């Protein structure tokens, strides 16, 4: 293969009237380690093209050399690696000084890529080949994978890539206009004139659409429109931004790219009306050699010449079927390109094939002529990018004479204008745009009225006086021009450039029975590349129509899905806000070396350096634990006992004033859902507690029953979790400590026994209450003080109890202490399938109650024996602490349970556990086998009760 | 994302709500059978068309609301606070009947 030398000659032209480059600002960048120069405003591809480069990538499967096709964001051949960012659209991304650009997936180099050998075995690699090859033998899959991976396209991702900042924003404009061409700008301006708040979203770096590369008159009109948009204060313009999706009720997502302070910003908009002015996308032509570098679309040529002052070639053949193609001929001539031949499809002339290797060298026409050239320009028609309209429920209709799809039925809040709707002169398009903008405002006003009517106490929104009344709903008709239906020449060529799918592949797929476009897409992967069908879908439909001898209308197109353009995961994640809750005493914990535990939204002290020592101190002296996150509810009303009876499995009607009871809540499926103590403070006044992680769910559960099933009950439930700071004072010296700070209350054991609640004045603070409960198994009082005084009371207790050996203890120590006592933790020792009997709670369940949440399931469970039980477990090797979650396995190796809680006990100096085991292993004294995470096994014995320490509870009741 | 016209708060994004489930009546727990009870817990009829369902406005007024929604077009036809007497029913269309005013106790 003879190698063609890269041109050293500059292809940069003199100044062009519409150029976007700034010749005053020149700098350098690298391409595959070679230095090139660029002007500010150049894209990577325009700068390289100006330097004479023509090959930018190698194709996906056959590794064919590829050059500019569309010179726009969608160009499938210009996808490059920029620094550590893969898959950059090289014909859209602007060059910045020092940018390091590389080609992707080429080895050893772009010029000479060994994987191009795939071309010689192309016969064996038709579309879908991987469904039939590399299947057997299965043991070779890892080998196949390592080889095939090298052939996969796409850039490289660096694990060391720095995390950029991604932003998020919410907007509520009256009108969003998607597309900043002439019709889009006109719609935005007309809407703004009527007083609407407008957001105008444009994909490219400047407004203008096809006017940007237009003739002198078009450029003047463009300047005027841009000036109007600049002057309109209620039009917000988003450039280099894309409307990526339209969802129910005009919930619209807009992606803003390359902001100065953020990598991307995801804008979530609720627009009252949406105007789609997305224009038209030029369609490639399918013929032999249509992917040789030097073959490009008319819009590519016009962009290169007019926007970037780049000469696309020296000697051109132009195949044209429309006025854009004709204009391209004029642009080429102006740029000094020799136009060797114009093949006019409207006169019935066609091209057959393009010929060349690394670059085009000739074109065969259908009259037998072979024309020498290095540039072949095609202008064969347009595809309407109806994505957003499809997402709004439209099913576009194919128009035979115009050879493209048109929108048909839109919901009230979505309108379309510009090329996507029809053709006509520039004036006609602008007029249509203006009319559409006005109608969009009228529709927006209707939506605003409906919103106001649905919002209680909404004041009437201000309407622009009289202006909207005169807006006619009917829009002017845009003419629809005839256009030859040109999809495929008499030869076969590439249909999907990104996936290397040829028209022959599509015929082959149809022959194999894949005769619907959805099946063909999935089998051949056509339209599944980066352009997602914008360049390919209509050609695929046309070729499948040919192959199945059906009209295009019947074939249809595949579903257009959001996002319209790629969105980074960073943009979707945006800024993360994680609310944090902490008790008033948290600063004290931090000052005293607390290691933080994140429990739900709460930050709590896990330990203060030595959890075992903290636990020992509780059993010996007295400890303080901050339990503020505990869920607390103030319940008032004559029907509170009914509520308690309904939500808990046990009975509450006879709870006296001053008494406290432990209760378990089940969901309607009988599964244990939460637990806590509830105390009666007065005639109609109760306080309920719930677990800290379940507090929100319990509040909702209470409201659910009161609102939906028992609206006649007189109960007020107020969450007071953060209204009170809660401190558990635990240990043999806890009474002694509290005697020093509690006023107006008799703490002697007969007057204030276990499971009682009292109001109290603590450390001079009124409105506290305290109860005697015993999660840790020691004599303990849980005091609840108004949160503002939490820190004061905590510090007072620490100071006052110094001589008693008071120490703080954290969540870890509490877990050890409660495990020594065998107290279960909902969600730790129970799971989503644990119905109450399985947790050893039969003593609490009162099936003779008329109704309570979960009753039917518990009635049925009470008649069965086949459920896993929660039991105490003692490892035979007392020094081994099995990891929580370790499986318990049966003799045949099947899973028969698991360790749910496991710790080394400081009080007993041995490991202790709770676990769930299968019924046949749950009898006390049974030895079970625990399989540890490393695969080794250890025996453990089922104990007679859950508590390993002080099972009679003597220490609690003193 | 669709909006739900909360009678207390006005039309709000569904992200403020929690979907609770299809409207159905709780069987008598003392007379029910396992099949009936579990059908109440787990089976949804999941029709394409108008359905009555419960939404909870968790990030707003925290009321349970019974909504009549068309599962294909996402229109909302009626919305009312759960377990309220039918005369409090709110119609969502512009030319609707009664509106919930501040004076009337919704519960």
């Amino acid at each position: 293969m003879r190698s063609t030398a890269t041109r050293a000659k500059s292809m940069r032209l003199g100044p062009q009237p519409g150029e976007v480059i700034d010749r005053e600002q020149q700098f350098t960048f690298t391409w595959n380690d070679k230095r090139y120069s660029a002007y500010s405003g150049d894209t990577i591809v325009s700068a390289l093209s100006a330097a004479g480069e023509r090959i930018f990538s190698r194709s996906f499967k056959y590794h064919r050399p590829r050059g500019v096709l569309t010179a726009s964001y969608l160009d499938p051949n210009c996808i490059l690696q920029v620094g550590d960012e893969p898959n950059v659209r090289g014909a859209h991304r602007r060059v910045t000084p020092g940018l390091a650009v590389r080609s992707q997936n080429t080895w050893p180099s772009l010029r000479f890529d060994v994987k191009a050998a795939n071309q010689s075995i192309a016969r064996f690699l038709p579309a879908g080949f991987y469904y039939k090859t590399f299947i057997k033998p299965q043991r070779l899959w890892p080998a196949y994978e390592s080889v095939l991976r090298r052939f996969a396209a796409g850039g490289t991702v660096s694990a060391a890539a720095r995390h950029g900042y991604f932003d998020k924003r919410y907007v509520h404009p009256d009108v969003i206009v998607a597309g900043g061409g002439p019709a889009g700008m006109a719609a935005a301006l007309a809407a703004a004139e009527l007083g609407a708040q407008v957001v105008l979203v444009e994909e490219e770096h400047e407004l203008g659409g096809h006017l940007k590369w237009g003739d002198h008159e078009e450029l003047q009109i463009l300047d005027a429109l841009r000036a109007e948009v600049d002057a309109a204060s209620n039009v917000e313009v988003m450039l280099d931004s894309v409307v990526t999706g339209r969802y129910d009720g005009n919930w619209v997502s807009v992606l803003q790219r390359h902001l100065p302070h953020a990598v991307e910003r995801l804008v979530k908009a609720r627009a009252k009306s949406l105007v789609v002015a997305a224009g038209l996308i030029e369609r490639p032509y399918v013929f032999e050699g249509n992917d040789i570098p030097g073959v490009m679309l008319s819009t590519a040529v016009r962009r290169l010449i007019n926007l970037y002052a780049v000469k696309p070639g020296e000697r051109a053949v132009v195949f044209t079927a429309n006025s854009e193609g004709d204009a391209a001929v004029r642009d080429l001539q102006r740029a000094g390109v020799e136009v060797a031949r114009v093949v006019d499809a409207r006169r019935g002339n066609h091209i057959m094939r393009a010929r060349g290797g690394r670059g085009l060298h000739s074109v065969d026409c259908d009259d037998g002529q072979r024309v020498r050239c290095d540039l072949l320009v095609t202008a064969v028609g347009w595809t309407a990018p109806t994505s957003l309209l499809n997402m709004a429920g439209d099913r576009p209709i194919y128009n035979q004479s115009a050879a493209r799809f048109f929108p048909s039925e839109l919901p009230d809040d979505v309108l379309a204008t510009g090329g996507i709707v029809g053709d006509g002169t520039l004036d006609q398009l602008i007029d249509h745009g203006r009319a559409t903008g006005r109608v969009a405002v009228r529709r927006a006003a209707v939506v605003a009225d409906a919103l106001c009517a649905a919002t209680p106490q909404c004041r009437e929104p201000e309407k622009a006086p009289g202006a909207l009344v005169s807006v006619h709903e009917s829009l002017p008709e845009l003419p629809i021009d005839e256009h030859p239906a040109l999809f495929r020449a008499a030869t076969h060529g590439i249909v999907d450039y990104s996936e290397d799918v040829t028209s022959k592949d599509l015929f082959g797929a149809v022959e194999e029975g894949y005769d619907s476009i959805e099946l063909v897409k999935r089998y051949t992967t056509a339209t599944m590349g980066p352009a997602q069908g914008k360049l390919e879908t209509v050609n695929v439909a046309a070729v499948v129509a040919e192959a199945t001898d059906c009209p295009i209308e019947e074939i249809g197109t595949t579903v257009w899905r959001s996002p319209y353009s790629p969105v980074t995961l960073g943009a979707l994640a945006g800024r993360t806000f994680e609310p944090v809750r902490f008790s008033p005493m948290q600063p004290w914990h931090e000052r005293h070396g607390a290691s933080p535990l994140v429990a739900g939204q709460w930050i709590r002290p896990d330990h203060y350096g030595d959890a075992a020592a903290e636990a020992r101190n509780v059993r010996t002296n007295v400890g303080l634990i901050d339990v503020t996150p505990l869920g607390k509810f103030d319940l008032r009303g004559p029907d509170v006992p009914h509520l308690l009876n309904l939500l808990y499995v046990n009975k509450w009607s006879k709870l006296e004033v001053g008494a406290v009871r432990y209760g378990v809540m089940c969901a309607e499926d009988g599964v244990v859902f939460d637990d806590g103590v509830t105390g009666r403070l007065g005639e109609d006044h109760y306080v309920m507690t719930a677990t800290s992680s379940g507090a929100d769910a319990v509040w909702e559960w209470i409201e659910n029953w009161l609102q939906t099933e028992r609206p006649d009950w007189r109960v007020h439930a107020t969450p007071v979790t953060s209204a009170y700071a809660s401190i558990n004072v635990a240990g043999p010296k806890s009474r002694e400590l509290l005697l020093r700070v509690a006023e107006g209350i008799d703490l002697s054991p007969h007057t204030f026994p276990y499971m009682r609640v009292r109001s109290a004045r603590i450390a001079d603070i009124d409105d506290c209450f305290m109860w005697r409960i015993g999660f840790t198994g020691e004599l303990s009082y849980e005091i609840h003080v108004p949160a503002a005084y939490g820190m004061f009371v905590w510090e007072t207790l620490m100071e006052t109890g110094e001589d008693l050996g008071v120490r703080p203890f954290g969540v870890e120590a509490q877990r050890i202490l409660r495990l020594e006592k065998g107290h279960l933790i909902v969600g730790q020792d129970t799971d989503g399938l644990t119905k109450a009997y399985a947790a050893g709670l039969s003593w609490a369940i009162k099936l003779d109650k008329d109704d309570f949440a979960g009753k039917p399931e518990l009635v049925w469970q009470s008649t069965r024996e086949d459920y896993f039980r929660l039991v105490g477990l003692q490892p035979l090797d007392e020094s081994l602490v099995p990891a929580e979650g370790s499986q318990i396995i049966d003799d045949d190796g099947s899973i028969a349970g698991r360790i749910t809680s496991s710790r080394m006990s400081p009080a007993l100096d041995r490991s202790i556990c709770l676990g769930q085991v299968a019924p046949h292993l749950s009898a006390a004294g049974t030895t079970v086998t625990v399989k540890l995470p490393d695969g080794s096994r250890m025996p453990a014995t089922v104990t007679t009760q859950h508590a390993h320490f002080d099972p009679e509870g003597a220490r609690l009741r003193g | 994302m669709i909006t739900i016209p909360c009678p207390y708060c006005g039309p709000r994004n569904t992200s403020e709500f929690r979907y609770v489930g299809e409207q159905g009546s709780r069987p008598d727990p003392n007379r029910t059978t396992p099949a009936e009870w579990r059908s109440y817990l787990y089976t949804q009829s999941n029709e394409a068309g108008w359905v009555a369902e419960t939404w909870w406005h968790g990030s707003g007024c925290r009321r349970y609301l019974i909504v009549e929604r068309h599962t294909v077009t996402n229109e909302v036809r009626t919305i009312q606070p759960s377990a309220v007497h039918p005369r409090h029913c709110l119609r969502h269309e512009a030319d609707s009947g009664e509106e919930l005013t501040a004076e009337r106790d919704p519960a």
Side-chain angles (χ1 to χ4, degrees):
Chain A
M1 226 186 306
R2 248 189 49 200
S3 62
T4 8
T6 325
R7 299 151 194 278
K9 172 184 176 206
S10 169
M11 302 298 278
R12 189 76 78 177
L13 300 164
Q16 305 294 313
E19 70 184 23
V20 300
I21 53 174
D22 179 0
R23 295 176 193 251
E24 302 290 310
Q25 293 192 53
Q26 193 174 23
F27 42 80
T28 62
F29 68 105
T30 60
W31 164 240
N32 288 335
D33 297 322
K34 234 180 109 190
R35 195 168 302 261
Y36 289 81
S37 90
Y39 292 120
S40 167
D42 258 325
T43 63
I44 296 170
V45 163
S46 70
L48 291 173
S49 301
E53 293 298 339
R54 287 199 123 199
I55 298 177
F56 299 108
S57 67
R58 289 271 172 173
S59 71
F60 178 54
K61 194 161 64 174
Y62 302 121
H63 284 255
R64 291 162 65 83
R66 291 281 174 80
V68 169
L69 178 71
T70 74
S72 70
Y73 184 89
L74 292 174
D75 201 318
N77 304 330
C78 298
I79 297 187
L80 315 169
Q81 177 95 19
V82 173
D84 55 20
E85 193 188 342
N87 304 326
V88 173
R89 287 13 186 198
H92 175 82
R93 178 69 63 92
R94 285 182 157 156
V95 189
T96 52
L99 211 59
V101 188
R102 315 192 74 82
S103 52
Q104 291 188 162
N105 189 35
T106 52
W107 183 76
S109 72
L110 181 56
R111 270 172 49 73
F112 178 61
D113 180 45
V114 297
K115 287 172 262 176
N118 280 358
Q119 280 182 89
S120 45
I121 52 164
R123 281 216 329 278
F124 304 107
L125 299 177
F129 75 90
Y130 39 80
Y131 289 117
K132 303 168 186 145
T133 52
F134 303 111
I135 295 174
K136 287 203 165 103
Q138 195 168 333
R139 63 184 157 76
L140 282 185
W141 285 5
Y144 294 151
E145 192 192 312
S146 63
V147 169
L148 289 172
R149 174 167 296 152
R150 277 181 228 284
F151 286 74
T156 53
V157 176
S158 160
R162 88 189 154 78
H163 293 234
Y165 170 69
F166 292 86
D167 200 25
K168 219 155 208 151
R169 187 179 160 204
Y170 291 87
V171 294
H172 302 82
D174 295 314
V175 182
I176 291 186
V177 179
M185 285 193 281
L189 289 169
E193 270 159 38
L194 289 177
Q197 286 296 119
V198 183
V199 171
L200 175 59
V201 183
E202 167 53 49
E203 274 189 303
E204 307 211 6
H205 302 287
E206 311 89 7
L207 293 171
H210 65 277
L211 292 184
K212 295 205 299 288
W213 54 84
D215 59 30
H216 177 72
E217 198 197 321
E218 286 168 320
L219 287 175
Q220 283 197 311
I221 294 176
L222 172 56
D223 279 341
L225 283 169
R226 277 190 186 152
E228 272 191 78
V229 170
D230 275 343
S233 56
N234 44 341
V235 176
E236 181 180 352
V237 179
M238 296 184 183
L239 296 173
D240 197 6
S241 304
V242 186
V243 176
T244 53
R246 183 265 176 200
Y247 308 93
D248 284 295
N250 273 354
W251 182 241
V252 170
S253 53
V254 180
L255 185 72
Q256 279 187 280
R257 299 185 284 229
H258 294 107
L259 298 157
H261 68 293
V263 178
E264 285 184 347
R265 176 190 285 143
L266 184 64
V267 179
K268 297 189 186 180
R270 178 75 71 181
K272 297 195 183 64
S273 57
L274 172 67
V275 174
V276 176
L280 293 168
I281 295 177
E282 190 170 24
R283 206 175 51 241
Y285 193 45
V286 180
F287 58 94
E288 192 184 321
N290 67 340
D291 70 331
I292 297 173
V295 179
M296 58 183 81
L297 309 185
S298 68
T299 46
V301 157
R302 301 198 70 199
R303 281 170 185 269
L304 286 172
I305 293 173
N306 294 296
L307 298 180
Y308 304 107
V310 172
K311 200 174 176 194
E314 300 289 0
R315 189 166 201 264
V317 170
V318 181
F319 178 47
T320 171
N322 55 47
S323 54
E324 190 80 10
D326 303 337
V329 171
R330 292 192 291 276
D331 284 345
L332 285 166
Q333 287 164 338
R334 224 183 64 233
V337 176
E338 187 192 343
V339 180
R341 181 146 178 200
V342 176
V343 181
D344 196 330
R346 293 159 294 190
R347 300 227 174 90
N349 300 322
H350 291 268
I351 54 169
M352 289 286 287
R353 68 178 59 79
R355 302 174 74 249
R358 281 211 179 77
L360 179 68
H361 60 62
S362 59
V363 169
D364 289 347
C365 302
D366 67 337
D367 59 1
Q369 281 248 332
R370 173 168 296 179
V371 184
R372 200 182 36 82
C373 61
D374 68 348
L375 175 65
L376 168 58
V377 183
T378 67
V380 301
W382 310 98
T383 294
T386 57
S387 258
L388 291 176
L389 305 176
N390 292 58
M391 290 181 213
D394 188 17
R395 297 203 155 262
I397 296 179
Y398 186 72
N399 181 310
Q400 286 242 1
S401 82
R404 71 178 197 266
F405 284 84
F406 286 84
S408 66
E409 244 189 85
L410 299 177
D412 284 341
D413 53 2
V414 179
L415 297 136
T417 186
I420 204 174
V421 170
D423 305 305
T425 63
L426 183 54
D427 279 339
Q428 284 175 308
L429 290 170
I430 290 174
D431 278 344
H432 190 273
R434 284 200 194 274
T436 306
R438 286 192 291 270
V439 173
V441 175
R442 203 180 121 92
R443 303 265 180 97
V446 170
V447 172
D449 278 350
L451 281 174
C452 193
T455 306
Q457 283 147 15
C458 170
R459 279 177 299 141
E460 288 286 300
E462 310 238 332
K463 285 200 190 80
L468 288 177
V469 177
S470 62
V471 172
H472 296 293
E473 270 281 341
S474 64
L475 292 164
E477 286 268 325
L478 279 177
I480 292 181
D481 295 341
E482 271 185 24
H483 193 292
L486 291 164
F487 306 103
R488 184 176 83 89
T491 52
H492 282 293
I494 301 276
V495 175
D496 188 325
Y497 288 78
S498 301
E499 301 289 309
D500 261 351
V501 176
T502 65
S503 48
K504 213 160 163 200
D505 289 332
L506 297 178
F507 271 86
V510 170
E511 247 180 72
E512 291 193 57
Y514 299 95
D515 53 4
S516 84
I517 194 162
E518 293 285 359
L519 286 176
V520 167
K521 163 190 165 179
R522 283 157 180 80
Y523 184 63
T524 64
T525 76
T527 78
M528 288 169 99
Q532 288 284 291
K534 296 174 193 64
L535 296 174
E536 310 89 23
T537 283
V538 174
N539 282 345
V540 171
V543 172
V544 171
E546 242 195 288
T548 56
D549 204 21
C550 276
I552 287 191
E553 305 82 287
E554 265 179 51
I555 300 294
T557 59
T558 51
V559 178
W560 295 99
R561 294 192 171 92
S562 70
Y564 180 82
S565 247
V567 182
T568 56
L569 290 176
L572 293 172
R575 301 174 295 177
T576 41
F577 291 120
E578 257 184 75
V580 160
R581 304 172 78 178
F582 47 87
S583 99
M585 290 85 85
Q586 180 63 16
W588 189 98
H589 303 314
E590 282 170 20
R591 281 200 306 271
H592 288 80
S595 177
L597 171 72
V598 180
Q601 290 173 339
W602 290 92
I603 307 282
R604 310 183 64 179
D606 196 24
H607 59 81
Y608 300 81
D610 186 346
E614 290 160 33
R616 265 186 233 108
N617 188 61
V618 171
R619 297 235 186 269
T620 326
N621 297 316
V622 54
L624 298 187
I625 181 170
D626 180 352
V627 292
T628 301
L630 191 72
K632 302 178 276 288
F633 303 93
D634 186 298
L635 303 171
R636 312 241 180 175
D639 291 319
V640 172
H642 293 138
L643 179 71
L644 299 175
N645 276 332
L646 178 66
L647 298 185
Y648 285 124
V649 301
N650 43 343
K651 284 182 173 166
W652 296 83
S653 307
K654 299 220 182 82
L655 189 72
E656 304 138 11
V657 176
V660 178
R661 195 166 291 168
Y662 169 75
V664 173
M665 285 189 191
C666 290
E668 289 270 64
D669 55 3
V671 172
V672 177
F673 153 50
D674 206 87
D675 68 349
V677 297
T678 292
R680 187 174 188 182
L681 284 171
E683 192 58 37
D684 284 346
H685 183 196
Y686 295 71
V687 174
M688 172 194 280
T689 65
T691 64
S692 47
S693 47
D696 288 337
V698 169
W699 182 19
E700 205 198 312
W701 189 232
I702 293 171
E703 287 294 324
N704 190 338
W705 283 99
L706 291 175
Q707 285 184 39
T708 67
E709 294 286 339
R710 304 283 186 269
D712 47 315
W713 282 0
R714 295 150 299 170
V715 176
H716 280 286
T718 311
V720 293
T721 302
S722 39
Y724 287 98
S726 309
I727 303 167
N728 201 298
V729 185
K733 298 182 187 164
S734 56
R735 182 181 289 122
E736 213 181 315
L737 174 54
L738 281 169
L739 277 166
R740 297 177 186 184
V741 296
E743 284 172 69
I745 180 173
D746 186 350
L747 290 176
S748 59
H750 337 279
T751 338
F752 193 166
Y754 181 56
M755 298 303 270
R756 290 290 186 274
V757 61
R758 300 280 183 265
S759 307
R761 186 178 153 85
I762 298 176
D764 290 332
I765 309 298
D766 286 317
D767 301 320
C768 303
F769 66 95
M770 58 198 280
W771 43 34
R772 266 188 72 179
I773 51 174
F775 194 45
T776 55
E778 292 303 312
L779 172 69
S780 67
Y781 297 81
E782 196 167 270
I783 61 178
H784 303 271
V785 315
Y789 299 106
M791 177 70 96
F792 171 70
V793 172
W794 177 277
E795 286 180 325
T796 304
L797 285 167
M798 291 299 302
E799 217 181 278
T800 316
E802 206 184 313
D803 61 307
L804 297 173
V806 69
R807 290 262 143 72
F809 67 103
V811 176
E812 176 57 18
Q814 186 188 53
R815 289 185 152 231
I816 295 172
L817 292 164
R818 67 93 201 176
L819 183 60
E820 288 175 335
K821 292 294 300 180
H823 292 143
L824 65 80
I825 289 179
V826 173
Q828 167 97 18
D829 304 299
T830 71
D831 57 47
L833 295 176
T834 311
K835 297 200 186 46
Y837 283 100
L841 294 167
S842 52
W843 57 269
I845 304 167
K846 302 293 182 241
L847 292 181
D848 56 337
K849 281 199 296 181
D850 181 48
D851 183 16
F852 62 92
K855 178 180 176 184
E857 287 291 349
L858 292 179
V859 166
W860 301 322
Q861 190 186 31
S862 69
T863 64
R864 307 172 66 130
E865 297 288 316
D866 60 351
Y867 45 88
F868 276 33
R869 315 292 156 91
L870 183 68
V871 297
L873 286 163
Q874 180 58 60
L876 250 59
D877 180 346
E878 297 178 351
S879 68
L880 278 181
V881 181
E884 289 174 346
S886 297
Q887 303 291 343
I888 291 167
I889 54 172
D890 214 340
D891 295 328
D892 62 352
S894 60
I895 296 173
R898 71 177 190 282
I899 302 288
T900 60
S901 290
S902 177
R903 288 294 190 279
M904 176 58 69
S905 161
L908 302 166
D909 228 352
R910 54 180 153 96
S911 53
I912 52 172
C913 305
L914 281 174
Q916 287 194 15
V917 296
H920 67 278
L921 294 174
S922 59
T926 314
T927 302
V928 299
T929 308
V930 178
K931 185 170 176 184
L932 301 175
D934 65 1
S936 65
R937 286 144 206 249
M938 58 150 247
T941 326
V942 176
T943 58
T944 36
Q945 64 261 317
H946 293 166
H948 294 264
F949 175 78
D950 181 28
E952 283 82 49
R955 301 172 74 89
L956 267 179
R957 295 165 203 275
Chain B
M1 107 163 86
I2 66 176
T3 54
I4 297 195
C6 177
Y8 301 99
C9 312
R12 307 295 298 178
N13 287 350
T14 44
S15 54
E16 291 186 10
F17 297 77
R18 183 174 74 81
Y19 172 73
V20 181
E22 287 179 359
Q23 182 65 1
S25 56
R26 183 170 182 257
D28 181 342
N30 294 307
R31 283 193 229 294
T32 189
T33 62
E36 187 192 36
W37 185 254
R38 285 154 193 176
S39 177
Y40 159 69
L41 288 181
Y42 303 117
T43 311
Q44 311 251 54
S45 65
N46 200 25
E47 278 162 37
W50 289 106
V51 303
E53 54 192 25
T54 305
W55 288 82
W56 175 64
H57 198 183
S59 302
C61 56
R62 295 185 66 97
R63 302 302 301 188
Y64 283 81
L65 305 160
I66 300 184
V67 179
E68 249 195 297
R69 178 176 67 98
H70 196 281
T71 55
V72 176
T73 63
N74 283 319
E75 274 176 78
V76 170
R77 184 158 71 184
T78 63
I79 181 163
Q80 64 190 79
S82 180
V84 169
H85 193 282
R87 68 186 168 81
H88 286 257
C89 176
L90 228 80
R91 291 200 80 82
H92 180 49
E93 292 120 30
D95 58 333
S96 66
E98 302 185 319
E99 262 186 63
L100 209 62
T101 59
E103 303 88 65
R104 194 180 291 164
D105 177 19

